């Protein structure tokens, strides 16, 4: 993404309707993901951006371990600052979604919220997410829909594509 987008995201993600709405939709999916898992379950957010989701979900699930990954050092710096002042800490590492720096089967869940569309090879990203997920673990995935809705905002965010339902199912 454009570095300016991270600055804007950090400034608005706590109160903006888009981010609040996304967290509200994702929250019950995370509840389901964590159901039956004991304390210390590890949940990875790939493309964590500036850490707003991590802060929210770590606070909602204080017995679990939320960690984020983003390729942008500025984004992970924002995330680290949020964690330092959060009531429930979380962590972020800089890395590539095509080469996740985690052991095979080491994650109890993963979030890929509006990130897969940033990769040229979306199949490879999905394969890497599958690799790090433990047997029976869940992935919560969201992507921008409908190629006909492509706009300058997609270009500003460096999207490679928007998805139709059948394309996403095939992926």
């Amino acid at each position: 993404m454009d570095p300016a987008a991270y600055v804007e995201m950090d400034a608005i993600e706590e109160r903006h309707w888009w981010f609040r709405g996304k967290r509200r939709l994702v929250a019950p999916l995370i509840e389901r993901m964590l159901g039956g898992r004991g304390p210390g379950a590890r949940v990875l957010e790939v493309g964590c951006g500036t850490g707003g989701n991590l802060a929210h979900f770590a606070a909602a699930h204080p017995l679990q371990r939320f960690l984020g990954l983003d390729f942008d050092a500025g984004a992970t710096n924002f995330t680290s600052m949020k964690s330092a002042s959060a009531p429930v800490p979380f962590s972020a590492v800089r890395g590539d979604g095509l080469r996740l720096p985690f052991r095979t089967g080491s994650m109890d869940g993963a979030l890929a919220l509006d990130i897969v569309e940033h990769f040229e090879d979306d199949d490879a990203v999905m394969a890497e997410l599958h690799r790090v997920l433990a047997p029976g673990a869940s992935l919560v995935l969201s992507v921008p829909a409908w190629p006909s809705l492509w706009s300058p905002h997609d270009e500003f965010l460096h999207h490679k594509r928007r998805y139709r339902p059948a394309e996403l199912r095939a992926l």
Side-chain angles (χ1 to χ4, degrees):
M1 274 190 347
D2 189 299
Y6 289 117
V7 173
E8 179 183 7
M9 182 186 301
D10 183 63
I12 67 171
E13 70 182 334
E14 187 57 35
R15 67 184 188 287
H16 191 275
W17 66 269
W18 172 261
F19 297 101
R20 291 172 57 128
K22 177 69 76 163
R23 287 192 295 267
R24 195 169 183 186
L25 289 171
V26 169
L29 300 173
I30 292 175
E31 291 285 339
R32 201 162 119 196
M33 171 194 296
L34 293 172
R37 304 236 181 230
R42 293 174 46 131
V43 179
L44 170 66
E45 182 181 15
V46 175
C48 66
T50 60
N53 290 332
L54 291 169
H56 180 82
F57 294 126
H61 302 280
L63 299 179
Q64 310 309 342
R65 295 179 52 206
F66 283 82
L67 54 142
L69 176 130
D70 205 287
F71 76 96
D72 187 274
T76 56
N77 286 340
F78 279 117
T79 301
S80 294
M81 287 187 289
K82 278 189 178 79
S83 179
S85 63
V88 178
F90 46 91
S91 60
V93 297
R94 186 171 180 218
D96 185 346
L98 296 172
R99 289 178 294 286
L100 295 173
F102 307 107
R103 290 184 331 275
T104 298
S106 63
M107 296 295 154
D108 299 299
L111 308 172
L113 307 175
D114 300 307
I115 188 65
V116 173
E117 67 278 2
H118 291 270
F119 291 89
E120 285 293 339
D121 190 349
D122 51 359
D123 284 316
V125 173
M126 295 300 286
E128 190 62 358
L129 283 163
H130 184 263
R131 180 188 69 77
V132 301
L133 287 171
S138 298
L139 169 66
V140 176
L141 173 72
S142 66
V143 295
W146 308 113
S148 62
L149 295 178
W150 186 267
S151 75
H153 190 66
D154 290 290
E155 293 172 21
F156 176 69
L157 296 176
H158 298 185
H159 291 173
K160 306 295 184 208
R161 72 195 63 76
R162 284 176 162 265
Y163 292 85
R164 291 180 181 89
E167 295 165 335
L168 188 58
R169 280 191 295 277
L171 181 65

